């Protein structure tokens, strides 16, 4: 049962990262332009920001789930 919280955390992280990717990829592709988007530096900065944002949202959601006594850790 102690792995349940870890599995929930990973699922929340993957879900938030997917939602961030789906909602922002078109905007940043258009913002950077086709030539710059093919450059790995631009994509690295994009994914770094997406992962940081997803980590923060996951942390807040897990704290809310703990506060609501859904998860215990």
């Amino acid at each position: 049962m102690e792995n349940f919280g870890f599995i929930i955390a990973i699922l929340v992280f993957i879900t938030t990262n997917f939602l961030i990717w789906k909602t922002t990829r078109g905007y940043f592709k258009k913002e950077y332009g086709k030539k710059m988007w093919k450059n790995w530096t631009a994509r690295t900065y994009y994914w770094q920001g997406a992962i940081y944002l997803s980590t923060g949202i996951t942390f807040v959601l897990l704290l809310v789930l703990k506060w609501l006594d859904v998860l215990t850790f």
Side-chain angles (χ1 to χ4, degrees):
M1 200 65 181
E2 57 199 37
N3 289 337
F4 182 69
F6 185 70
I7 293 170
I8 292 293
I10 289 175
L11 289 175
V12 169
F13 176 77
I14 291 171
T15 304
T16 56
N17 204 4
F18 177 75
L19 291 174
I20 289 169
W21 172 71
K22 280 299 255 187
T23 57
T24 62
R25 73 180 164 144
Y27 171 77
F28 283 105
K29 237 185 205 182
K30 189 173 75 172
E31 187 72 25
Y32 282 130
K34 197 173 235 182
K35 183 178 179 183
M36 188 65 174
W37 189 250
K38 289 184 179 181
N39 187 355
W40 277 101
T41 306
R43 286 187 184 186
T44 302
Y45 287 132
Y46 170 76
W47 279 108
Q48 183 180 5
I51 288 172
Y52 285 160
L53 184 61
S54 180
T55 302
I57 292 171
T58 300
F59 180 73
V60 169
L61 285 175
L62 289 177
L63 285 177
V64 168
L65 289 174
K66 181 171 174 43
W67 180 66
L68 293 174
D69 289 330
V70 175
L71 291 176
T72 56
F73 51 88

